[in-house]
Amino acid sequence: MPKQLLIAHHCDRPYQWLDFEMELMQQLADQIGIALSQAQVLEHLEEIVELRTAELREANRNLQQEISDRKQAETALRQREEQLRLITNALPVLISYVDENQCYQFNNQAYEDWLGKSLSEIYGSDMQSVWGDNCYSRMQSHVKLVLRGQAVTYENEILLKDGSPRSVKVTHIPHVDEHKNVKGFFSLTVDISDRKAIERIKDEFIAFVSHELRTPLTSMHSALKILATGRLGTLSQEGQQILEIADDNTERLVRLVNNVLDLQRIESSEVKMEKQVCNVSTLMIQAIEAMQPMAQNHGVVLVVEPVDINIFVDSDYIVQALTNLISNAIKFSAVKGKVWLTAENRPNAEVLFSVSDEGQGIPDDKLEIIFERFQQVDSSDSRRKGGTGLGLTICRQIVEQHEGKIWAESTLGKGSTFSFTLPLFNL
């Protein structure tokens, strides 16, 4: 604050101020100065109060708007949740959300209808207590995978509230936040019992028909082979051609029937895999030796690169899988083409088998479906080459029975590679 002056004067004549008067004037000046300072502070304080009041009013308006917006958002969220629950409750499937601790945070009405447990009872409960130890043990490995961020689909058997068993197809989709952390997963369970029943009836019918056809077909094939030798008389050139056609088609039918029966036995678990320690090199050589005559007939060169690795498998079925893959490669290779059989030790305790050819290749959209029953890249070409459409399906079943995976890679016009993995034998 700048210095101020207090002036006092005697108007009618000169006057000598006394000391006490000077002291009194000094005190008066001090009091006036204090009063002026306080007045200025008060004026400034009023300005501050007015400014702060305006700021508070603005903050209050913003807060009221935020509260209003939040209420509207909460109302909209509740409406969406109600709509979601209405939709999910109307679906005849199990829909849920499970957190990272494997506890249910959302379930639709189907859970109560199927399991006989109220939604409030299931909410917050862990999966093991909801499904029981036996059922949970079959889904545990899949739950671990999805909580690592991998979507999984698998089939399971569950018991309904009345004790009746049902076959279901389950899909788990991970819930990943913006930091790539898995917070839980969404689960969809569909009842496939009717489809399974139809498949069983179909499989039993096919197996029955195939079994009934096997004996007469074998007899017909043998008779045609004898007739082709000329022991029962010589045929004309046209008759010989017709006989060869009949013999080829009968042989294909015999293979088809045998493949159907093999597949049916493997899928129905009638066949128990007799696993033992086997050397990969031995299996590869057995498969190559078995397919060498066919390769020579087609003018195809087989190349094998044996490796000394031990695996725990059913040797007969692994050789069957290898010969099926080699047979396919030979059929679709050109004359003087090469087919390679290789194996290598993978770092994740697996052995990788591969059968590669230089054939016509497979379109990308066919690489998955060729492992399904009766699926072929070109049915007319496969039929001409003697294919049944079941060889790759049998391979897949054999590999999966050994806890392995099988797949195909291909480049059109350059060839294909069929690969499958098997677990290593660990002492």
Side-chain angles (χ1 to χ4, degrees):
M1 180 178 176
K3 292 183 178 181
Q4 306 290 327
L5 295 177
L6 176 63
I7 300 174
H9 59 90
H10 199 279
C11 298
D12 56 350
R13 64 181 181 277
Y15 182 74
Q16 182 66 38
W17 296 95
L18 301 177
D19 290 341
F20 83 91
E21 291 176 327
M22 293 291 292
E23 183 178 351
L24 181 62
M25 291 292 291
Q26 182 62 51
Q27 292 178 1
L28 180 60
D30 291 341
Q31 293 298 322
I32 292 172
I34 292 173
L36 290 173
S37 297
Q38 290 179 342
Q40 289 179 343
V41 170
L42 180 60
E43 182 180 359
H44 183 59
L45 183 61
E46 288 176 350
E47 292 177 356
I48 294 175
V49 169
E50 184 178 354
L51 179 62
R52 293 292 183 267
T53 301
E55 290 176 352
L56 287 174
R57 287 198 186 99
E58 182 65 24
N60 184 56
R61 281 194 297 270
N62 292 337
L63 180 61
Q64 293 297 325
Q65 184 63 43
E66 184 178 343
I67 292 173
S68 176
D69 293 343
R70 184 170 297 180
K71 286 182 177 179
Q72 291 178 0
E74 290 175 352
T75 301
L77 179 61
R78 281 195 299 270
Q79 290 175 347
R80 285 196 294 269
E81 288 178 349
E82 291 171 359
Q83 291 171 352
L84 176 62
R85 185 166 290 280
L86 285 173
I87 293 171
T88 57
N89 284 345
L91 297 174
V93 296
L94 299 182
I95 300 174
S96 64
Y97 178 78
V98 182
D99 65 21
E100 56 190 343
N101 297 315
Q102 299 187 28
C103 294
Y104 284 106
Q105 300 300 322
F106 174 85
N107 303 85
N108 68 334
Q109 182 62 36
Y111 270 87
E112 185 171 339
D113 299 338
W114 288 24
L115 304 183
K117 298 180 180 181
S118 66
L119 298 183
S120 59
E121 182 182 356
I122 297 175
Y123 179 79
S125 299
D126 63 90
M127 298 182 70
Q128 187 170 1
S129 64
V130 172
W131 293 104
D133 295 339
N134 189 28
C135 185
Y136 177 74
S137 65
R138 295 192 296 272
M139 63 175 68
Q140 187 175 14
S141 60
H142 304 289
V143 172
K144 289 181 178 178
L145 281 177
V146 72
L147 288 177
R148 294 192 194 111
Q150 179 180 336
V152 294
T153 298
Y154 61 97
E155 293 184 3
N156 199 359
E157 297 289 327
I158 66 172
L159 293 178
L160 300 186
K161 58 185 178 183
D162 59 0
S164 60
R166 305 296 287 179
S167 298
V168 295
K169 182 177 181 180
V170 186
T171 299
H172 295 326
I173 302 174
H175 171 209
V176 183
D177 64 15
E178 64 274 11
H179 303 296
K180 306 299 182 182
N181 297 318
V182 179
K183 309 301 293 183
F185 62 92
F186 301 92
S187 180
L188 173 67
T189 302
V190 181
D191 189 343
I192 58 172
S193 301
D194 293 340
R195 192 193 79 189
K196 284 288 187 180
I198 293 172
E199 286 180 356
R200 280 192 292 269
I201 293 172
K202 181 185 68 176
D203 291 343
E204 290 170 1
F205 174 75
I206 292 175
F208 172 76
V209 172
S210 299
H211 188 272
E212 292 300 312
L213 286 173
R214 191 177 210 172
T215 301
L217 277 174
T218 304
S219 299
M220 289 171 58
H221 191 224
S222 299
L224 289 170
K225 287 291 186 185
I226 294 172
L227 190 59
T229 62
R231 294 178 186 176
L232 303 180
T234 303
L235 296 175
S236 64
Q237 184 177 358
E238 184 179 359
Q240 189 68 31
Q241 290 176 347
I242 294 174
L243 179 61
E244 290 175 0
I245 294 172
D247 182 48
D248 290 343
N249 285 318
T250 305
E251 184 177 352
R252 179 174 174 274
L253 280 174
V254 170
R255 286 200 306 272
L256 176 59
V257 168
N258 289 336
N259 285 343
V260 168
L261 292 175
D262 284 346
L263 183 60
Q264 193 272 336
R265 284 197 299 268
I266 295 172
E267 288 185 335
S268 62
S269 300
E270 291 180 13
V271 175
K272 184 179 180 181
M273 298 290 173
E274 300 293 339
K275 296 181 181 180
Q276 57 186 343
V277 179
C278 302
N279 190 273
V280 169
S281 177
T282 302
L283 300 178
M284 296 173 73
I285 292 172
Q286 287 179 2
I288 288 294
E289 289 178 347
M291 300 310 301
Q292 196 66 54
M294 179 180 178
Q296 291 174 352
N297 289 337
H298 285 74
V300 174
V301 178
L302 299 183
V303 181
V304 62
E305 300 174 9
V307 292
D308 185 19
I309 304 173
N310 288 332
I311 53 178
F312 192 64
V313 296
D314 186 312
S315 59
D316 291 339
Y317 277 102
I318 296 304
V319 171
Q320 181 180 351
L322 289 173
T323 55
N324 280 357
L325 294 177
I326 296 171
S327 173
N328 277 355
I330 293 172
K331 290 174 187 174
F332 295 97
S333 293
V335 176
K336 296 184 180 181
K338 289 184 179 180
V339 171
W340 290 267
L341 172 59
T342 61
E344 62 178 272
N345 196 340
R346 295 273 287 254
N348 51 345
E350 290 180 333
V351 176
L352 173 67
F353 289 89
S354 296
V355 176
S356 303
D357 61 56
E358 300 174 316
Q360 62 195 29
I362 304 169
D364 290 342
D365 60 343
K366 299 285 187 179
L367 289 175
E368 291 292 335
I369 64 171
I370 55 175
F371 292 98
E372 302 295 332
R373 296 183 185 188
F374 305 111
Q375 294 291 335
Q376 298 170 324
V377 177
D378 184 337
S379 58
S380 60
D381 192 34
S382 298
R383 190 175 297 111
R384 180 172 56 82
K385 294 177 182 293
T388 63
L390 289 174
L392 292 178
T393 308
I394 293 173
C395 288
R396 184 180 65 179
Q397 290 294 328
I398 291 172
V399 170
E400 290 180 351
Q401 289 273 355
H402 285 82
E403 300 178 1
K405 296 179 180 179
I406 187 169
W407 67 94
E409 299 169 301
S410 184
T411 302
L412 286 176
K414 293 186 177 181
S416 305
T417 298
F418 286 81
S419 305
F420 65 87
T421 58
L422 295 175
L424 277 172
F425 173 69
N426 297 315
L427 293 175

